[in-house]
Amino acid sequence: MTTDLKQYLLSIYQPDGDAPPPEVLEPIMRDLEKLNAELREAGAWVFSGGLCPPSTATVVRVDRNDRGKDVLTTDGPFVEGKEHIGGFTVIQAPDLDAALEWGRKLARATTLPIEVRPMEFGHCG
């Protein structure tokens, strides 16, 4: 990785519920494969992955009422919502504008909202 490049997390927000039918999902997956190839060719791809449904999540947190002595675990996502993070891609880009362009391409490929966020390695911004 070139030191001039920063890393960004592109989070894919998808609606809760069943996956779309194959006739909807298959063209999306083809577009996503093309975009991943483009990311690799450009040297921007670092890592990506899909996540299991939110029902498989376990949240671990400190019980603040117990002054942090006890750690609680709960099943499922931390907050109830109509959408969840369904997958992500970590990219490297020279700046936020370049990362946002990759985010736009990912939004077009997936047809879903994408959050672009710089990754922190000692500082943000």
Side-chain angles (χ1 to χ4, degrees):
M1 180 175 111
T2 306
T3 56
D4 294 343
L5 299 177
K6 298 175 184 173
Q7 291 188 349
Y8 295 86
L9 175 67
L10 309 180
S11 301
I12 303 167
Y13 285 90
Q14 67 185 60
D16 286 339
D18 296 332
E23 63 270 13
V24 173
L25 190 56
E26 287 171 7
I28 290 171
M29 295 308 292
R30 279 193 303 272
D31 288 346
L32 189 54
E33 286 175 25
K34 288 178 191 173
L35 177 60
N36 283 334
E38 184 181 349
L39 280 162
R40 284 184 176 96
E41 285 176 24
W45 185 86
V46 175
F47 180 79
S48 64
L51 300 174
C52 293
S55 60
T56 65
T58 302
V59 177
V60 180
R61 68 175 147 228
V62 172
D63 181 357
R64 296 190 186 274
N65 294 327
D66 194 24
R67 296 183 184 223
K69 294 179 184 173
D70 198 15
V71 177
L72 306 174
T73 58
T74 55
D75 292 337
F78 180 68
V79 294
E80 299 272 333
K82 294 183 180 182
E83 58 185 21
H84 60 275
I85 297 177
F88 62 91
T89 299
V90 176
I91 63 164
Q92 53 188 16
D95 54 37
L96 180 59
D97 290 336
L100 288 171
E101 185 54 36
W102 287 116
R104 287 182 195 95
K105 290 179 180 189
L106 186 56
R108 286 185 198 105
T110 63
T111 72
L112 296 169
I114 305 298
E115 177 184 305
V116 177
R117 187 183 300 188
M119 295 182 67
E120 182 177 357
F121 297 98
H123 66 284
C124 288

